[in-house]
Amino acid sequence: MVGIFSLVTGMVGPSGFGSSTTAEQVTEGIDASNLTIIITGGASGIGLETARVLALRKAHVIIAARNMESAKEAKQLILEDNESARVDTMKLDLCSIKSVRSFVENFLALNLPLNILINNAGVMFCPFQLSQDGIEMQFATNHLGHFLLTNLLLDKMKQTAKSTGIEGRIINLSSIAHTYTYEEGIRLDNINDQIGYSDKKAYGQSKLANILHSNELSRRLKEEGVNITANSVHPGVIMTPLMRHSSLLMRSCNNMLCCSASKLERGNWEVLFGL
Ligand SMILES: NC(=O)c1ccc[n+]([C@@H]2O[C@H](COP(=O)([O-])OP(=O)(O)OC[C@H]3O[C@@H](n4cnc5c(N)ncnc54)[C@H](OP(=O)(O)O)[C@@H]3O)[C@@H](O)[C@H]2O)c1
Ligand SMILES: *[C@@H]1O[C@H](CO)[C@@H](O)[C@H](O)[C@H]1NC(C)=O
Ligand SMILES: *[C@@H]1O[C@H](CO)[C@@H](O)[C@H](O)[C@H]1NC(C)=O
Ligand SMILES: *[C@@H]1O[C@H](CO)[C@@H](O)[C@H](O)[C@H]1NC(C)=O
Ligand SMILES: *[C@@H]1O[C@H](CO)[C@@H](O)[C@H](O)[C@H]1NC(C)=O
């Protein structure tokens, strides 16, 4: 409840920031010019605002998107602020194993470092459907695609952390919705069960998988002594195209409650930047 109270009032927390604080305010004074960052789903919503502000702070931002048209528009928007901003777009469809693999191949071929990976893309509450690989869509997109992506990029991130001495970051956009899932948690033995499918619980399940994966990865990185952290964040309630499958009631509640994507909660930016 404290969370909702401060979300609505915009009251600042101990950090001096609150739900009405913008990403620009939080990152003020940060020079990210030595950082290369991949943001999945960086063409809209939270991902776009993240990409915009990181580019503003001089990072090299790679927007990984399935829709190259909107990725191009996102890039254009960022270049309007600064025509020398370093933004690239690359094709990535997370619900396709083949696409994840070819994205990584293309990225590695560029011979760039990789400091930060933001696993932001996601779908929410969509009706039952299978991905190209025959896996329930929310689990395939939100968890499996990112799982594979992260694992395929991990060596590159380790090399970068080692050669630059800069701590690497893996950030997963999870959700408070991870608490609302199937009785058994994640239905690993029954991911594709259409009869028992709940669009809400399937979303919660995929977001729970994000958190568990982050936690375990984080543990392993520490054990290995690698200078990379893995964290999950709940971004708060933000009106974005993600709500397209939500009911009208929920969408209007969100409209009243929520902040716009440019007002991300401070807590999450702390994780992003280690402030
Ligand atoms: N907004 C909230 O209140 C809220 C709350 C809790 C958690 N989150 C989490 O925050 C993250 C960002 O959400 P958002 O609100 O910014 O939503 P959004 O505006 O819908 O952004 C999601 C992005 O993911 C992309 N995407 C979807 N499926 C993809 C796929 N198969 N391959 C590649 N990209 C794909 C979308 O691309 P298209 O445009 O092509 O669909 C879109 O660019 C999500 O992980 C979400 O679960 C959001
Ligand atoms: C970026 O890297 C260069 C070379 O290592 C270093 O001299 C410079 O201080 C770094 N800039 C920032 C803002 O960390
Ligand atoms: C524009 O972006 C480039 C590349 O990040 C940066 O070097 C430059 O300082 C930026 N210009 C302004 C006015 O912020
Ligand atoms: C989150 O974290 C791990 C890496 O820690 C990744 O493989 C997992 O699937 C990620 N999920 C999302 C959506 O970020
Ligand atoms: C890990 O990263 C932090 C922050 O960038 C840096 O201060 C530290 O020296 C790094 N440690 C190693 C062992 O590279």
Side-chain angles (χ1 to χ4, degrees), residues 161-162 164-169 225 227:
K162 203 169 171 186
T164 61
I166 301 173
E167 187 182 273
R169 303 264 164 96
N227 207 8

Side-chain angles (χ1 to χ4, degrees), residues 40-48 64-67 70 92-96 119-124 137 141-142 146 172-177 203 207 210 233-244 254 258 261:
T40 70
S44 80
I46 300 171
L48 171 56
R66 65 171 160 183
N67 180 340
S70 37
L92 168 66
D93 186 348
L94 283 154
C95 67
S96 152
N119 288 323
N120 158 82
V123 285
M124 181 170 83
M137 189 59 91
T141 307
N142 298 353
H146 281 118
N172 280 335
L173 271 283
S174 183
S175 172
I176 189 84
Y203 179 71
K207 292 285 148 184
N210 290 161
V233 297
H234 167 59
V237 183
I238 301 167
M239 197 61 200
T240 68
L242 190 72
M243 308 292 173
R244 65 174 79 91
N254 275 324
C258 75

